[in-house]
Amino acid sequence: MHGAQSKRDLAMELQAQLPILRPSIHTRRANLTVKFQDLYGFTVEGNVDDVNVLNEVREKVRQQGRVWWALEASKGANWYLQPQVSSLSEGIVLKSSLKISALANAMTLKKLIRKGIPPVLRPKVWFSLSGAAKKKSTVPESYYNDLTKAVEGKVTPATRQIDHDLPRTFPGHPWLDTPQGHAALRRVLVGYSFRDSDVGYCQGLNYVAALLLLVMKTEEDAFWMLAVLLENVLVNDCYTNNLSGCHVEQRVFKDLLSKKCPRIAAHLEALEFDVSLVTTEWFLCLFAKSLPSETTLRVWDVLFYEGAKVLFHAALAIFKMKEEDVLLAHQVGDVINIIQRTTHHLFNPDELLTVAFNKIGFMTTNTISKQRKKQEPEVMKELDERLRRLNSLREDDR
């Protein structure tokens, strides 16, 4: 993969240096739809206003890059790896031995990450701060290579589903939708399906792993990022057979929506609108299939540092941003269209994250954990009842 990888990295670097996109005069006048590739090779489709937004975002990315490089120059290349205090706001008591400089670094880092990690630094920063580097260090260096060799040629229900999903994962992408891209994604997904047989493979993971492959420098690092995501960052059982963890997250989100956006929640309830119609994909694919790539990765920047509560912040923000439009909708289909149009055109990550962290209100990991524990028994009861009904139907068929 390394030959293709280096070409892909070079292409991304060149893409970042492209001149500002300038639609033709005819396009500007007619406000026609334009198409072009973003930094990660995805085809972006939007109007001229979207292009202007993307140009502004690209300039902000450059500015953020200069800030990070200045910090690296003054504090050292790995300054952000000093003792972390990422949960200060959640009431963790500082040890007396913790230096003020470490505290300052942690506060600076949190603000910086919410403003976005420069694409060129993402692989290094994600790998360190997510815990992936630590996880990888607990096994022999040859672990990933040994794993991929050991499972090569083996056929399981997971591998069959993976093979079915590969061509459907970001079709048309200039690298992912190639034999080399499919092979790399397959090795990551199949490898993980054998590492954790309880998870195996679940649809949705293909989009997550594909985006990790585009960001990380190596296939092996993408594998470890997937591992830390499923084993440490996200709620347990999100991707197991019955998706119990995902069902719990949906219930938690619905409860949060009623507290943070009560007008929206009441209106959706009156319409008999089930929020899981749109949010299930968000929580399973971590927005990779719903938001533009740079916006998704900005959410992931914070996700890998602050944890899964960020997904709730982002999901609530999407509804909050379109509150007035949603309140005017009178059909379930209208709500779905409003939300999908919003996510498709959310090219400005700052617009989403500003609402997510400044207008949704404070949420802690501890609070969300309590909500999960509260919802879990009811979810398990419903899933057990569903399983009993299915078994009963099978018995009747016999």
Side-chain angles (χ1 to χ4, degrees):
M1 174 187 172
H2 294 291
Q5 184 81 33
S6 61
K7 289 179 183 177
R8 178 158 53 89
D9 292 340
L10 178 61
M12 284 173 57
E13 289 177 20
L14 291 173
Q15 188 79 21
Q17 297 171 24
L18 287 177
I20 289 177
L21 302 161
R22 300 190 186 282
S24 69
I25 293 174
H26 296 295
T27 304
R28 290 201 298 272
R29 287 176 179 170
N31 202 27
L32 297 174
T33 298
V34 291
K35 291 183 180 181
F36 49 89
Q37 280 189 359
D38 67 10
L39 180 61
Y40 291 93
F42 293 100
T43 297
V44 176
E45 184 175 312
N47 57 35
V48 177
D49 290 337
D50 295 328
V51 174
N52 292 332
V53 168
L54 278 163
N55 283 329
E56 292 173 6
V57 169
R58 182 171 289 185
E59 181 53 36
K60 285 183 180 179
V61 168
R62 290 194 186 101
Q63 292 171 5
Q64 272 299 98
R66 288 193 282 271
V67 173
W68 279 81
W69 293 125
L71 277 166
E72 294 225 337
S74 63
K75 295 188 176 187
N78 296 316
W79 67 272
Y80 49 83
L81 295 182
Q82 294 182 28
Q84 298 301 311
V85 199
S86 59
S87 300
L88 278 178
S89 56
E90 296 180 18
I92 289 181
V93 178
L94 293 176
K95 294 180 180 178
S96 58
S97 62
L98 186 61
K99 296 179 180 179
I100 296 298
S101 61
L103 171 57
N105 276 352
M107 296 176 71
T108 299
L109 184 58
K110 186 173 184 177
K111 290 179 182 177
L112 272 178
I113 287 175
R114 287 189 176 187
K115 289 182 179 179
I117 302 170
V120 72
L121 288 177
R122 270 197 181 114
K124 184 176 76 163
V125 178
W126 280 11
F127 204 66
S128 299
L129 295 183
S130 66
K134 184 177 180 181
K135 186 175 286 288
K136 181 182 176 182
S137 71
T138 63
V139 298
E141 277 191 29
S142 61
Y143 178 93
Y144 180 69
N145 286 333
D146 292 344
L147 177 62
T148 54
K149 287 176 183 175
V151 304
E152 192 173 353
K154 292 190 176 181
V155 178
T156 66
T159 65
R160 284 193 287 269
Q161 186 62 54
I162 289 167
D163 289 334
H164 182 66
D165 287 347
L166 287 175
R168 302 191 299 179
T169 308
F170 299 125
H173 188 276
W175 183 77
L176 286 170
D177 196 11
T178 64
Q180 295 86 352
H182 288 172
L185 181 56
R186 187 183 193 280
R187 283 191 292 271
V188 171
L189 291 171
V190 170
Y192 194 80
S193 75
F194 279 89
R195 173 181 167 86
D196 187 343
S197 58
D198 288 336
V199 170
Y201 170 73
C202 173
Q203 288 177 301
L205 287 180
N206 51 324
Y207 294 99
V208 175
L211 204 47
L212 287 172
L213 270 171
L214 291 179
V215 174
M216 305 307 291
K217 292 297 183 185
T218 70
E219 186 183 305
E220 184 176 2
D221 284 355
F223 170 84
W224 286 112
M225 287 300 300
L226 184 65
V228 81
L229 190 60
L230 300 185
E231 296 164 18
N232 301 97
V233 178
L234 300 178
V235 65
N236 292 333
D237 300 327
C238 228
Y239 297 95
T240 49
N241 286 336
N242 62 4
L243 299 178
S244 60
C246 186
H247 288 296
V248 169
E249 298 296 75
Q250 300 304 314
R251 281 177 163 267
V252 172
F253 176 76
K254 189 174 180 179
D255 187 57
L256 289 171
L257 188 68
S258 67
K259 291 176 180 175
K260 301 291 184 179
C261 308
R263 294 171 67 210
I264 295 176
H267 184 66
L268 294 182
E269 189 173 350
L271 292 179
E272 297 184 349
F273 179 84
D274 185 352
V275 291
S276 66
L277 288 171
V278 291
T279 59
T280 298
E281 182 178 279
W282 296 352
F283 282 93
L284 281 179
C285 301
L286 310 184
F287 298 103
K289 200 180 171 186
S290 309
L291 295 172
S293 64
E294 182 58 28
T295 305
T296 299
L297 297 178
R298 284 285 301 278
V299 173
W300 288 17
D301 285 343
V302 192
L303 171 69
F304 287 127
Y305 187 58
E306 297 187 37
K309 69 173 185 176
V310 172
L311 301 176
F312 292 104
H313 277 279
L316 288 166
I318 291 169
F319 277 94
K320 184 68 175 176
M321 290 167 69
K322 289 297 176 180
E323 180 167 8
E324 298 307 319
D325 290 346
V326 169
L327 292 176
L328 292 173
H330 297 294
Q331 303 290 336
V332 168
D334 294 336
V335 177
I336 293 174
N337 288 335
I338 290 167
I339 298 302
Q340 288 183 341
R341 279 200 308 271
T342 301
T343 54
H344 182 72
H345 289 277
L346 255 175
F347 294 111
N348 186 352
D350 289 330
E351 185 181 2
L352 173 66
L353 294 178
T354 297
V355 176
F357 294 114
N358 296 346
K359 295 187 179 180
I360 292 303
F362 188 62
M363 289 190 290
T364 69
T365 299
N366 190 42
T367 300
I368 291 173
S369 295
K370 288 180 180 177
Q371 284 294 323
R372 286 173 179 147
K373 288 179 181 177
K374 175 184 172 184
Q375 299 292 349
E376 191 172 341
E378 192 62 32
V379 166
M380 298 310 296
K381 181 180 176 182
E382 284 186 4
L383 291 174
D384 288 342
E385 180 60 33
R386 186 183 304 173
L387 184 61
R388 279 196 294 271
R389 287 200 301 269
L390 283 172
N391 289 336
S392 177
L393 287 171
R394 285 171 187 154
E395 287 295 327
D396 292 344
D397 288 340
R398 289 174 188 171

